Amino acid sequence: MDEVWRKLAEPFPPGEVQWRVEAISKDKRRALVVPYVDARTVLDRLDKVVGPEGWHDSYEVLSDEERSLKDERGERRERVVEVKCRLTVLGVTKEDVGEGDSLKAAFSDALKRAAVKFGVGRYLYRLEKQWVDYDPEKGRFTPPTLPEPQEAGEPEEEKPEAYRLIDQLLERLKEKGLGKEAAKILTKYGGYGKTPEETRRLYGELRALLKG
């Protein structure tokens, strides 16, 4: 079983990893991007490691509603769907909740989050978010180059504790539908902040946003 879990957690080929924009700088020339894989890539990994008969999934729609959001464009309504995925691999079951602006997006997000608990794509959460050049007219950016996978037995380079705490806050804010507001704060500080003092102020502002 240890070999199965190891194979589930192996890094994906760079060509299967995509990047999405989480925030854009004030001058619209830089974008903060984060890596991810789509749900089909997760399904392929499960099939490859344990076979189509070695796993199964089920889903429960928790909520499907419209919420009022305020941003620089004013107040608007946005659909928010929450779905719980129950994923079983070789008799072991784990579950998590995903969110999206449609049923399809929420189902995919829930599957990916549940699969992370089996190690699938978990390493992506440990990769640093990166600022890259951005073309505002075309809405395009050049994806960063992923680091080479670590050799077996090589110790992982851990993020500073302050960065991990900020990441945890960001996840909680996303779950509350405050991801865009949090992204604006990240943009102001250019990521985690350029100095320890900026990092502390960033953390404080995110905490205040979470508390409302």
Side-chain angles (χ1 to χ4, degrees), residues 2-212:
D2 287 345
E3 180 67 10
V4 169
W5 307 137
R6 185 189 67 76
K7 289 182 177 179
L8 285 172
E10 285 181 350
F12 293 100
E16 295 183 3
V17 177
Q18 303 177 51
W19 296 82
R20 69 169 179 268
V21 175
E22 188 168 271
I24 298 176
S25 62
K26 291 182 179 180
D27 64 5
K28 309 296 184 183
R29 296 295 178 181
R30 301 279 287 172
L32 181 66
V33 296
V34 295
Y36 74 98
V37 291
D38 63 27
R40 287 185 295 273
T41 301
V42 173
L43 297 176
D44 289 343
R45 172 60 59 86
L46 292 169
D47 285 347
K48 180 179 179 181
V49 176
V50 300
E53 73 288 347
W55 67 276
H56 65 271
D57 52 344
S58 61
Y59 300 86
E60 176 187 353
V61 178
L62 302 179
S63 66
D64 186 348
E65 60 186 16
E66 285 194 351
R67 297 178 184 173
S68 295
L69 299 175
K70 291 184 178 180
D71 55 24
E72 64 274 5
R73 293 174 293 179
E75 187 172 349
R76 57 192 174 83
R77 304 286 292 179
E78 185 174 272
R79 183 185 182 189
V80 179
V81 184
E82 293 182 343
V83 171
K84 180 168 68 176
C85 172
R86 185 177 177 85
L87 179 63
T88 301
V89 179
L90 298 179
V92 178
T93 300
K94 298 181 183 293
E95 59 184 36
D96 209 330
V97 176
E99 184 179 280
D101 57 6
S102 67
L103 281 171
K104 180 180 179 181
F107 271 68
S108 295
D109 189 47
L111 169 65
K112 291 190 290 184
R113 287 178 176 270
V116 164
K117 293 187 174 180
F118 287 99
V120 180
R122 187 182 297 173
Y123 76 100
L124 294 172
Y125 288 86
R126 295 193 289 266
L127 297 180
E128 294 284 352
K129 301 173 184 179
Q130 298 189 46
W131 286 94
V132 297
D133 291 334
Y134 179 74
D135 184 336
E137 294 182 359
K138 298 180 179 179
R140 296 179 182 175
F141 60 89
T142 301
T145 300
L146 284 171
E148 292 295 325
Q150 292 179 315
E151 296 294 333
E154 181 181 344
E156 293 181 353
E157 182 179 348
E158 294 189 357
K159 284 185 178 181
E161 179 64 19
Y163 290 9
R164 292 200 297 271
L165 291 174
I166 288 172
D167 287 345
Q168 291 172 10
L169 272 178
L170 291 172
E171 285 299 315
R172 292 173 64 187
L173 287 164
K174 289 178 183 177
E175 290 171 0
K176 289 181 173 292
L178 296 170
K180 293 184 178 179
E181 290 82 353
K184 290 180 183 178
I185 297 175
L186 278 177
T187 300
K188 183 170 68 173
Y189 287 98
Y192 292 107
K194 298 179 178 63
T195 65
E197 178 59 31
E198 285 191 357
T199 301
R200 285 192 291 270
R201 290 204 300 268
L202 167 62
Y203 180 80
E205 289 190 30
L206 292 175
R207 285 275 297 175
L209 178 61
L210 183 64
K211 292 180 179 179

